[in-house]
Amino acid sequence: MATINIPENYQAVMPYLIVKNAAEFIQFTQTVFGATEQFKTMRDEHTIMHAEININGSTIMFADATDTYQQQNAGMFVYVESCDDTYQKALDNGAESIMPPADQPYGRSAGVKDPFGNTWWITNLL
């Protein structure tokens, strides 16, 4: 198998979401998960053509939904420092509970659906 060169700060596989109101998605991920914005280019003054955030070394790419590119959501699993605190931040910022925090064999975990239609499985190790 050939060796490929992946640009710095990227991974071999990254989710690419198409969301309604991508600017608010950035704010949600910054507030709830401590995301940092890596890149953003606008389609026009109101919609994002392509943007990238980073959550603890993992990149998520996304864009605003359009008539051509319809909304496409994802389910994501994210390790956090505190499942309970992050779960509450998500709810405080418009997410819906899918599963309240509970101890699981793989760690303390909860599930939320963000205001943009994505599911986040929030976990910290016990």
Side-chain angles (χ1 to χ4, degrees), residues 31 43 50 107:
T31 301
R43 181 175 292 110
H50 177 84

PDB file of all heavy atoms in Angstrom, residues 31 43 50 107:
ATOM      1  N   THR A  31     -18.871  26.393  22.276  1.00  0.00           N
ATOM      2  CA  THR A  31     -19.405  26.500  23.632  1.00  0.00           C
ATOM      3  C   THR A  31     -19.453  25.150  24.333  1.00  0.00           C
ATOM      4  O   THR A  31     -19.060  25.025  25.495  1.00  0.00           O
ATOM      5  CB  THR A  31     -20.826  27.120  23.597  1.00  0.00           C
ATOM      6  OG1 THR A  31     -20.746  28.411  22.990  1.00  0.00           O
ATOM      7  CG2 THR A  31     -21.399  27.248  25.005  1.00  0.00           C
ATOM      8  N   ARG A  43     -19.774  31.430   1.014  1.00  0.00           N
ATOM      9  CA  ARG A  43     -20.395  31.337  -0.310  1.00  0.00           C
ATOM     10  C   ARG A  43     -20.871  32.731  -0.717  1.00  0.00           C
ATOM     11  O   ARG A  43     -20.755  33.140  -1.851  1.00  0.00           O
ATOM     12  CB  ARG A  43     -21.571  30.351  -0.250  1.00  0.00           C
ATOM     13  CG  ARG A  43     -22.283  30.137  -1.541  1.00  0.00           C
ATOM     14  CD  ARG A  43     -23.368  29.058  -1.424  1.00  0.00           C
ATOM     15  NE  ARG A  43     -22.772  27.748  -1.222  1.00  0.00           N
ATOM     16  CZ  ARG A  43     -22.831  27.047  -0.082  1.00  0.00           C
ATOM     17  NH1 ARG A  43     -23.474  27.528   0.962  1.00  0.00           N
ATOM     18  NH2 ARG A  43     -22.260  25.871   0.021  1.00  0.00           N
ATOM     19  N   HIS A  50     -17.544  26.370   3.080  1.00  0.00           N
ATOM     20  CA  HIS A  50     -16.731  25.308   3.676  1.00  0.00           C
ATOM     21  C   HIS A  50     -16.118  25.859   4.957  1.00  0.00           C
ATOM     22  O   HIS A  50     -15.598  26.969   4.970  1.00  0.00           O
ATOM     23  CB  HIS A  50     -15.616  24.861   2.731  1.00  0.00           C
ATOM     24  CG  HIS A  50     -14.705  23.830   3.324  1.00  0.00           C
ATOM     25  ND1 HIS A  50     -15.008  22.491   3.308  1.00  0.00           N
ATOM     26  CD2 HIS A  50     -13.532  23.954   3.981  1.00  0.00           C
ATOM     27  CE1 HIS A  50     -14.032  21.828   3.918  1.00  0.00           C
ATOM     28  NE2 HIS A  50     -13.119  22.700   4.343  1.00  0.00           N
ATOM     29  N   GLY A 107     -17.199   3.637  29.789  1.00  0.00           N
ATOM     30  CA  GLY A 107     -17.038   4.958  30.391  1.00  0.00           C
ATOM     31  C   GLY A 107     -18.379   5.578  30.725  1.00  0.00           C
ATOM     32  O   GLY A 107     -19.431   4.977  30.522  1.00  0.00           O
TER      33      GLY A 107
END
